[in-house]
Amino acid sequence: MARVYKNISSPTTVTLIPKGFNRLDGNIKKITIANQASATNSTVKLFLDNGTSDFTITKTVIPPQVTLVLTDNLSFDANIFDLKITTDSVADITIIIK
């Protein structure tokens, strides 16, 4: 079952897991980022933010109808960092965190 599920449909930065969020505590096994658009690429940046600096986990272009699956080295200290994502297009992006 997904612990975090978000849909994004505009260029923006979204906090997926806020600092101090007890439900996950930064213990993540899998993140999927899907571009639901039929014709629009989307550049996404998944990163940790401590309020002063950010640390990129991945920054990549996701083509239409493609899903990026991340499964390795995803855990982090949720007392120190927010997990955020930035998108640059109006493509519908779906993020699922387990």
Side-chain angles (χ1 to χ4, degrees), residues 17-69:
I17 300 175
K19 198 179 318 180
F21 188 62
N22 292 331
R23 217 169 76 202
L24 284 178
D25 292 328
N27 186 15
I28 298 171
K29 295 181 182 182
K30 184 178 188 178
I31 299 174
T32 60
I33 306 170
N35 183 347
Q36 305 293 335
S38 59
T40 306
N41 287 336
S42 183
T43 300
V44 296
K45 177 183 173 186
L46 184 69
F47 62 100
L48 298 173
D49 181 7
N50 67 6
T52 305
S53 302
D54 66 58
F55 305 91
T56 302
I57 296 169
T58 188
K59 183 176 181 181
T60 191
V61 175
I62 302 177
Q65 301 295 306
V66 171
T67 300
L68 173 66
V69 179

Side-chain angles (χ1 to χ4, degrees), residues 74-88:
L74 298 173
S75 295
F76 65 96
D77 188 340
N79 292 312
I80 298 172
F81 298 103
D82 293 316
L83 178 64
K84 296 183 176 184
I85 192 166
T86 298
T87 63
D88 74 342

